[in-house]
Amino acid sequence: VKNQWPLVYFIQNESKRVAYVGESTNFSNRIQNHLANPKKANAFNQISIIGSDKFNKSATLDIESKLIQYISSEGTYELQNGNHGLINHNYYQQDLYKNLFKDIWSKLIENKIVSKSLEEIENSELFKYSPYKSLNEDQYNSVLEIIEALTEKKSNKIFIKGSAGTGKTILATYLIKLLGSDVSNTNMDDFSDNEIQEINLIRAYKEKYPKAEIGFVVAMSSLRKTLQNVFRKIPDLKSSMIISPSDTFKKKYDLLIVDEAHRLRQYKNIGWMGVFKKNNRKLGLDDTGTELDWIIANSKNQIFFYDSAQSVKPSDIPSHHFDKLLSESNTIEIELKSQMRSNGGNDYITFVDDLLNVKRGNKNFYSPENYDIVVFDSLKDMYQQLSIQEEKYSLCRLVAGYSWPWASQKDDNAIDIEIDGVELQWNKIDKDWINSENSFNEVGCIHTTQGYDLNYTGVIFGEEISFNNITNQIEIDKSKYFDKNGKRGLDDIEALKEYIINIYKTIMYRGIRGVYIYACDKNLRAYFKEHIATFQTESKLSILPFTDVKPFVNAVPVFDIYAAAGNFSELQVQSELENYKWVELPINISAREDYFVCQIIGESMNKKIENGSWCLFKTDPGGSREGKIVLVEHYNIQDSDFGAGYTIKSYHSEKIITDESWVHKSIILKPLSFDSTYENIVLDDTEINELKIMGEFVTVLDF
């Protein structure tokens, strides 16, 4: 502080649960300014200073913006910061500071200032839709242009165009928070030119609209509920600001910001025709009136976030309605180009568009460095690999085209989708399904996933879409497409094809880290495999055709204990040997009759066994198991990695020894993990008799 070194500070009041994050090269002066502000002086009573000899001005700006993002979403404190000036700062050796920020966050946890991990926060809906997100340069320049247009120009319609993942919803929430910020007493001593311009524009907007009524129109009910939950937790924002198109009739708005404007509806193929007609009549419109008309009529200014390529059903307003507005002389059009969601970047977005519109020609095999995209021949394999990613990252979901009826909507026990022996149901709920408790075990559709981010998406191309090898084109079978409102009255098969292609493109864009693909149609799968890597089942294993197998002589069986949460009946039935896959062991390991191979999923044993490893086991040989790694079954085990009933752990026992004999007092199954949250499983003397040792760990198979 004395030497005026760049630093970051965190002022807080633990009892009131309020906080403020800042950075400065003149900390003493900055704190005096804060104390001179009665609102802050009365709110805060503690200061934490974060400093390092590695800090420079760019680094402190970066760390400040990261702390604002994470603390605002962590939940311990209500952050008093405005969100102006939050922009990603590119600077020399920026990547080296990522680990430094992790160290800072660990110190905050250690000092009990915060409690949640960075990974836990990143998967929260509050973080994903936070108005405190740092914008890229593309987005930030758009913010300045938008506010300038609202205050200084005559335009009252602004279109923000951008493909999936360009951060349209993030930009919308940022704008709403920004326009509602109190900047009247903002000290701009250390502000950049852009920040000063931003503050002055906000002040000009507030002079023009002193008590602005702002609404955020979200057409999709699922996303609407999610955003209402987010706004409920942000200072100066209210859940009531998130509205449906029909809600725009409740009051007159100075500004309506419309997310996913391509999902606004017309009077066609909807389940509430009466209400729609009534709303049109309020404005003197006939049945050609649309939700777009309602929004324009009920507000002075409109900002539309729009991507025609994400229109997925006939009830969506046709693009020519928007084209007409765009052609008006006083309409401003802004385009977002930078990819914010997918680690594959803009190249991945272009690839998916070319792939599904069969425009790649003879281009090179697609293998991005930072994005995991794989085609599967088996849905079972895809689901298994997705479960590995779910264990590692969370927010990994199966999503499918609407190629199966929704039988479970009427019968809770009905199976909707059955492929390769995998039985699945459609999503049980339609609002915020992605974050629901059982969502990994269900299949979502376009209507429950559009607008959301996932870490990995498992995309099932259904039976309604196929590939014709003769015409070299993707084709659609209308009879196998079960979204009734998505095809009713639509006789043009090419128009239906366009909607369905848009659906699959949109769900393929959901994944941040990767996408897994399974196509029911073999020809379509083969087409995908011409352009995308194919998953190799048990890729580290040498699987033999059964005709070449000499059981337990040149090969041992692979037992499918998917995610270790299936049942072990296969271990009991060894008479039908041809039903197993058989693996040839490495040259230094001889096959034996008591050997078997299975895959271990989870992080509870990662000091010895990495998540997803294929391991060699031998059936329980008896004798002492003390300190050995064992695969066990017990009715009372609830293991987050393995599912109910099964686990792999290090075996330890406590015995009561007498002169004549001994008995188990308890058996302790210990994790061997770098993650300290995994706990011992303790079975007392009343539970021990039910414990079954299924196998003893021999080695990880690493060829």
Side-chain angles (χ1 to χ4, degrees):
V1 173
K2 181 179 178 182
N3 295 323
Q4 296 192 357
W5 198 259
L7 53 80
V8 180
Y9 59 90
F10 181 72
I11 54 179
Q12 77 235 55
N13 187 312
E14 188 173 344
S15 62
K16 293 182 180 180
R17 293 300 186 191
V18 292
Y20 181 93
V21 176
E23 68 80 35
S24 182
T25 54
N26 192 339
F27 174 79
S28 180
N29 184 56
R30 178 60 64 85
I31 289 300
Q32 290 302 320
N33 288 334
H34 284 313
L35 292 173
N37 182 329
K39 184 178 178 182
K40 289 182 180 176
N42 293 329
F44 304 119
N45 61 7
Q46 184 175 332
I47 301 170
S48 299
I49 300 171
I50 302 168
S52 167
D53 56 8
K54 297 182 177 66
F55 279 4
N56 54 48
K57 182 66 173 179
S58 295
T60 55
L61 285 169
D62 189 23
I63 291 167
E64 176 198 35
S65 66
K66 281 188 169 68
L67 281 173
I68 289 171
Q69 289 180 70
Y70 283 89
I71 289 173
S72 66
S73 301
E74 194 266 348
T76 300
Y77 290 94
E78 184 177 279
L79 210 60
Q80 303 300 297
N81 291 72
N83 67 331
H84 51 79
L86 288 178
I87 182 171
N88 286 322
H89 301 276
N90 293 317
Y91 55 94
Y92 178 61
Q93 294 186 323
Q94 183 176 18
D95 286 346
L96 299 180
Y97 286 87
K98 290 180 180 177
N99 288 330
L100 187 59
F101 181 75
K102 291 178 182 177
D103 291 340
I104 291 169
W105 194 260
S106 296
K107 289 288 185 184
L108 292 174
I109 292 176
E110 185 180 318
N111 286 281
K112 298 183 179 179
I113 293 172
V114 295
S115 60
K116 294 179 182 176
S117 70
L118 294 174
E119 294 76 14
E120 188 178 358
I121 296 167
E122 287 166 0
N123 282 331
S124 70
E125 59 184 24
L126 184 53
F127 181 82
K128 290 182 181 296
Y129 299 106
S130 170
Y132 290 105
K133 274 288 182 67
S134 290
L135 306 182
N136 61 29
E137 191 172 347
D138 185 18
Q139 293 172 314
Y140 193 75
N141 289 335
S142 298
V143 167
L144 299 179
E145 189 174 352
I146 290 165
I147 306 176
E148 186 178 13
L150 290 171
T151 55
E152 299 178 8
K153 298 183 180 180
K154 292 182 179 179
S155 172
N156 64 344
K157 295 182 184 68
I158 302 171
F159 273 81
I160 317 295
K161 299 179 77 172
S163 63
T166 50
K168 296 186 293 297
T169 305
I170 290 171
L171 185 55
T173 59
Y174 182 97
L175 267 170
I176 293 174
K177 171 67 174 171
L178 189 66
L179 293 174
S181 298
D182 180 5
V183 295
S184 56
N185 294 315
T186 302
N187 186 303
M188 296 190 285
D189 289 347
D190 290 343
F191 281 11
S192 67
D193 291 343
N194 274 348
E195 287 178 280
I196 292 170
Q197 182 186 2
E198 189 178 9
I199 295 296
N200 287 333
L201 285 170
I202 297 167
R203 287 173 175 168
Y205 177 81
K206 287 182 172 293
E207 286 178 13
K208 188 173 181 179
Y209 301 102
K211 295 181 179 179
E213 286 286 354
I214 301 175
F216 190 13
V217 181
V218 182
M220 295 177 295
S221 61
S222 176
L223 185 58
R224 189 160 60 243
K225 182 178 179 181
T226 298
L227 289 170
Q228 285 170 344
N229 290 336
V230 170
F231 272 42
R232 195 174 286 117
K233 299 170 185 174
I234 301 292
D236 303 324
L237 297 182
K238 299 176 181 178
S239 60
S240 59
M241 300 174 82
I242 308 294
I243 59 176
S244 70
S246 289
D247 291 334
T248 61
F249 285 93
K250 293 180 179 179
K251 64 173 79 171
K252 291 296 181 182
Y253 288 88
D254 294 297
L255 174 64
L256 287 176
I257 299 174
V258 186
D259 193 39
E260 309 275 0
H262 41 270
R263 295 307 313 273
L264 293 175
R265 285 153 294 194
Q266 59 179 323
Y267 187 73
K268 183 177 183 179
N269 289 17
I270 55 176
W272 45 287
M273 306 285 273
V275 175
F276 204 103
K277 180 177 284 192
K278 185 178 179 180
N279 283 342
N280 274 338
R281 298 300 179 267
K282 289 177 184 177
L283 300 175
L285 300 173
D286 60 19
D287 292 344
T288 61
T290 69
E291 290 180 336
L292 180 61
D293 295 315
W294 307 351
I295 287 164
I296 293 171
N298 293 327
S299 58
K300 294 177 183 177
N301 304 282
Q302 305 88 36
I303 301 174
F304 299 99
F305 289 87
Y306 180 70
D307 178 15
S308 61
Q310 293 191 63
S311 177
V312 297
K313 58 195 305 185
S315 60
D316 296 344
I317 297 173
S319 58
H320 65 80
H321 286 255
F322 295 100
D323 293 339
K324 182 180 178 181
L325 291 180
L326 283 164
S327 67
E328 294 179 2
S329 59
N330 66 338
T331 297
I332 290 178
E333 182 178 350
I334 299 171
E335 185 171 4
L336 300 175
K337 296 180 180 179
S338 301
Q339 179 57 220
M340 294 286 288
R341 177 189 295 130
S342 168
N343 289 349
N346 292 337
D347 287 346
Y348 172 69
I349 303 300
T350 301
F351 165 75
V352 171
D353 185 67
D354 288 347
L355 180 75
L356 296 186
N357 286 296
V358 196
K359 297 190 298 186
R360 289 206 86 221
N362 294 318
K363 289 186 178 180
N364 295 333
F365 201 74
Y366 182 70
S367 53
E369 288 185 12
N370 300 316
Y371 199 70
D372 188 10
I373 177 170
V374 185
V375 177
F376 287 78
D377 286 309
S378 161
L379 181 62
K380 196 171 189 179
D381 288 338
M382 185 172 88
Y383 199 20
Q384 181 173 341
Q385 293 304 306
L386 194 68
S387 75
I388 293 173
Q389 305 301 351
E390 169 70 7
E391 178 68 33
K392 189 173 183 179
Y393 299 112
S394 297
L395 280 181
C396 302
R397 301 291 181 266
L398 279 178
V399 189
Y402 215 146
S403 182
W404 296 271
W406 194 358
S408 62
Q409 191 175 30
K410 296 181 179 179
D411 178 0
D412 281 344
N413 297 316
I415 299 300
D416 297 311
I417 302 169
E418 184 174 356
I419 304 171
D420 293 343
V422 179
E423 296 182 339
L424 297 162
Q425 292 183 319
W426 284 115
N427 47 272
K428 289 286 188 185
I429 62 173
D430 59 1
K431 292 181 175 63
D432 199 24
W433 167 74
I434 277 173
N435 297 300
S436 64
E437 185 177 356
N438 199 45
S439 53
F440 183 76
N441 301 313
E442 299 168 354
V443 181
C445 67
I446 181 65
H447 307 306
T448 50
T449 55
Q450 191 169 9
Y452 286 89
D453 292 351
L454 295 169
N455 284 317
Y456 273 79
T457 312
V459 180
I460 304 173
F461 283 77
E463 297 173 350
E464 88 286 16
I465 185 168
S466 61
F467 190 82
N468 188 320
N469 288 329
I470 298 173
T471 63
N472 201 40
Q473 291 295 319
I474 286 177
E475 295 181 346
I476 298 299
D477 184 343
K478 185 177 179 180
S479 68
K480 295 181 179 179
Y481 183 59
F482 289 94
D483 187 346
K484 294 178 181 178
N485 291 329
K487 66 178 181 178
R488 185 187 297 123
L490 195 63
D491 297 324
D492 184 349
I493 193 66
E494 287 302 311
L496 179 61
K497 176 180 172 179
E498 184 177 350
Y499 284 124
I500 291 175
I501 291 295
N502 279 355
I503 286 170
Y504 283 110
K505 280 167 46 178
T506 302
I507 59 180
M508 284 184 73
Y509 294 153
R510 298 301 98 197
I512 297 169
R513 299 173 183 273
V515 61
Y516 292 158
I517 300 165
Y518 176 83
C520 293
D521 179 67
K522 291 182 179 179
N523 290 341
L524 182 61
R525 203 183 315 152
Y527 165 67
F528 288 156
K529 288 161 72 172
E530 292 174 6
H531 302 272
I532 305 168
T534 304
F535 175 74
Q536 300 298 317
T537 308
E538 296 97 22
S539 56
K540 289 187 176 182
L541 306 181
S542 176
I543 301 295
L544 297 180
F546 189 68
T547 53
D548 296 338
V549 170
K550 296 178 181 177
F552 305 107
V553 176
N554 68 345
V556 297
V558 177
F559 289 120
D560 183 3
I561 50 171
Y562 163 56
N567 64 62
F568 280 85
S569 60
E570 289 180 286
L571 291 175
Q572 322 301 326
V573 185
Q574 298 196 24
S575 57
E576 301 177 4
L577 299 180
E578 69 275 10
N579 291 338
Y580 298 116
K581 292 176 181 176
W582 291 82
V583 59
E584 189 176 35
L585 295 178
I587 193 168
N588 62 319
I589 303 176
S590 299
R592 295 175 16 174
E593 285 197 12
D594 58 349
Y595 276 177
F596 64 92
V597 172
C598 64
Q599 188 179 32
I600 300 304
I601 294 169
E603 301 289 349
S604 67
M605 296 295 290
N606 59 20
K607 287 183 178 180
K608 293 285 187 181
I609 303 171
E610 289 185 7
N611 188 3
S613 295
W614 291 93
C615 298
L616 181 66
F617 288 84
K618 58 183 175 183
T619 53
D620 181 32
S624 175
R625 307 178 185 110
E626 181 63 30
K628 294 179 179 178
I629 295 173
V630 291
L631 187 61
V632 303
E633 176 186 11
H634 193 279
Y635 72 91
N636 202 29
I637 288 176
Q638 299 291 328
D639 189 305
S640 60
D641 282 347
F642 280 55
Y646 305 99
T647 192
I648 179 170
K649 293 289 183 289
S650 177
Y651 180 103
H652 300 270
S653 67
E654 293 185 357
K655 300 181 177 71
I656 298 174
I657 301 174
T658 65
D659 292 338
E660 298 179 356
S661 64
W662 61 269
V663 294
H664 284 295
K665 178 183 178 183
S666 65
I667 290 176
I668 305 170
L669 302 172
K670 296 183 178 181
L672 299 175
S673 178
F674 294 107
D675 185 345
S676 60
T677 61
Y678 287 99
E679 298 180 349
N680 292 343
I681 297 171
V682 181
L683 303 174
D684 62 29
D685 57 351
T686 64
E687 300 170 309
I688 289 170
N689 289 337
E690 301 298 327
L691 182 69
K692 296 179 182 177
I693 309 297
M694 312 310 300
E696 181 183 304
F697 172 75
V698 177
T699 186
V700 172
L701 294 175
D702 187 7
F703 293 85

